Amino acid sequence: MAEIAGSGLAEAGSVAVAGRHGVWRDGWIASLAWLAAAAITIGLPDVIPWGSRDLFGGLLLSGAALLALLTAATWRRGGPGERLRHAGPWFIALGVWLALWELSTAKLGWLPKPFFSPPQGLLHVYVTDWQRLGICVLYTLRLWSIGFAAGVAVGFVIGVGLGWSKRFAYWGMPILKLIGPVPASAWIPCTFFFFPTTFHASLFLVALASGIPVIILTAAGVEQVSRAFYDVARTLGATERFLVLKVAIPAALPNVFVGLFMGLYASFAVLVVAEMLGAKYGLGWYLQFQTAYSAYVNVYAALIIMALLCAGLVKLLFLVRDHVLDWQKGII
Amino acid sequence: MALPLAAAPTRAMALDFSDVSLSFALKDRLLPVLDGIDLSIAPGSFVALLGPSGCGKSTLLRLAAGLERPTRGEVLEDGQPIQGPDPRRILVFQDPTLFPWRSVWKNVAFGLEARGLLPAEKGRVDAALALVQLGGFADAHPHQLSGGMAQRVALARALVNDPELLLLDEPFGRLDSLTRLTMQTELLALWRKVGFTALMVTHDVEEALLLADRVIVLSDRPARIEAEVAVDKRHPRRRDDPELIAQRRFILEKLGFGAEV
Ligand SMILES: Nc1ncnc2c1ncn2[C@@H]1O[C@H](COP(=O)(O)OP(=O)(O)OP(=O)(O)O)[C@@H](O)[C@H]1O
Ligand SMILES: [Mg+2]
């Protein structure tokens, strides 16, 4: 009986393995979808010219070719091709999406200029304006990284203080509750007065946006630490300082990371406002500048860069978290 | 098998409860938990505490650890009132309460690290882990341990500090009976070798009689001392020793299990 069940399992297993290692059907479909998008882009005329049409068509063609190549290469092989296979449905969706996007904007004009743009319009922005965009990215990264780092560092310290010390919390919590919900733009008059340069004022806004969630979650995290941990630590001879550094903070770290993620998103959301303060470059500045000229294509192009930057930083933060909180693996 | 955690015998501590009462303030009333406890524990002795669940045994240990203050009376260490926690008096909690973010090794090292002794005394951490037979789990994290293993880590975390008074709250409660036997033997060997004072809460009458010089039986809450049994059998003791069996019967009667057992 057990043997029969065993062989049945083995068979089921081998079927699954064959399915996994057989033809990567999604790969061929994706390649075809991309080919179709390329054909639409190059073959049909644009209602109004957008520029970079052939470049975009060429890119789509290369994409289709690359997908075909990869599909052929992952033929009956597991291992590294596994992740590619996993992404298969996304490649298909992307191809279909690009084809539909092309049709509804450039080819049929259902979604008109200047509110909408076909993909080659965005590509055209990158091709023609890449220098300025590059500088903007660097400026934004400088503003963001200094502001975020400062906000997080100060926020963490304040959060630990609020969570640990009753007296600090007595004064600090009401103030925090008051200033927490104030929108960033409301600070602009004050910041102009208090900070020597507009760059410092912008830094302050970014730091504030990233710091407040970190404060709130760190304080909550420290407050929630089980009293039993402190009891154990105190009987083992821990001083107050040791309790904070080696019990309260490590126990609160999972919460702190939630605060960091929230702070990261908040800091990106505030970039536009922060770069309103007389910045000469920066993605936020670029967004406003181009909006003023109704150059929405440029706005979209910059938004995409911003979204990718933010997603990349979130990914980075996840890696840091998994490394720092590796003790949580298997608990959650 | 026992490992030399302390090179020389430790100084042992005298512990005195003099007319100690303690009540917890609940929302609407006072909950009296300990009622006039008078207990003198000589340095180097091994005392076991027995009593019904919820009678206040853990609370008594927390008093000795300096984690609670008596409502009335005094708890004295070597004649001086206990002011607060001190690593000379270490409590092994009923719940292991390991720090989940620290590896097993670092959990055991916590006390030494807190007192700045770790750099010089790393070897003692390894010795303590070997003593509880967890040398191979030094790098594991607490969530990877079984309940019994966690309890052994908690024991090692206490022993590594060479306490003068070791307070044990059902330290072997979660161990299987064989590991329990080994750990009892190890604890006894260590106690005889190092000579600290031991005060152990247990729910196991046999365990109390096998290990302790004195067994104190507490009443239901609020706890008073109901009876005391002196055990002067030499170690190693046999659990089928007729004298111990008689004492066991006596204690069970005091706990309210006369006829059944
Ligand atoms: N911090 C506290 N606040 C209020 N009541 C408490 C507190 N700690 C303990 N108690 C109460 O004191 C009583 C004694 O608790 P304790 O933990 O000392 O019992 P115990 O004898 O150790 O029981 P067990 O054998 O089940 O561990 C219980 O009724 C408990 O509810
Ligand atoms: Mg208890």
Side-chain angles (χ1 to χ4, degrees), chain A residues 214-295:
Chain A
V214 175
I215 295 179
I216 294 172
L217 277 141
T218 305
V222 170
E223 245 173 302
Q224 283 164 15
V225 177
S226 156
R227 209 185 63 145
F229 286 136
Y230 294 133
D231 283 350
V232 172
R234 288 200 300 147
T235 61
L236 291 171
T239 57
E240 181 108 342
R241 189 185 136 83
F242 198 80
L243 283 183
V244 175
L245 293 179
K246 301 289 177 160
V247 180
I249 289 177
L253 269 190
N255 258 335
V256 175
F257 269 96
V258 176
L260 286 177
F261 281 106
M262 289 169 59
L264 178 55
Y265 283 117
S267 64
F268 261 79
V270 86
L271 275 178
V272 179
V273 176
E275 285 174 342
M276 221 151 53
L277 313 181
K280 285 183 256 356
Y281 281 108
L283 288 171
W285 165 85
Y286 190 91
L287 287 179
Q288 296 165 59
F289 181 81
Q290 301 293 1
T291 310
Y293 285 92
S294 302

Side-chain angles (χ1 to χ4, degrees), chain B residues 118-138:
Chain B
L118 187 58
E121 316 244 14
K122 287 204 164 85
R124 284 169 46 160
V125 178
D126 300 318
L129 273 175
L131 182 75
V132 296
Q133 300 169 356
L134 286 174
F137 285 84

Side-chain angles (χ1 to χ4, degrees), chain A residues 227 229 231 246 250 327 329, chain B residues 62 98 101 113 143 157:
Chain A
R227 209 185 63 145
F229 286 136
D231 283 350
K246 301 289 177 160
W327 57 268
K329 264 184 241 153
Chain B
R62 287 177 63 86
L98 302 179
W101 55 89
E113 190 185 334
H143 70 85
R157 183 171 63 180

Side-chain angles (χ1 to χ4, degrees), chain B residues 5 112 115 121-129 159-162:
Chain B
L5 270 177
L112 295 175
R115 288 182 290 147
E121 316 244 14
K122 287 204 164 85
R124 284 169 46 160
V125 178
D126 300 318
L129 273 175
L159 290 175
V160 78
N161 297 288
D162 267 342

Side-chain angles (χ1 to χ4, degrees), chain B residues 158-181:
Chain B
L159 290 175
V160 78
N161 297 288
D162 267 342
E164 294 173 28
L165 170 66
L166 185 62
L167 303 158
L168 298 153
D169 201 344
E170 302 193 17
F172 308 136
R174 297 180 185 196
L175 303 186
D176 64 277
S177 52
L178 291 179
T179 318
R180 196 181 175 110
L181 275 180

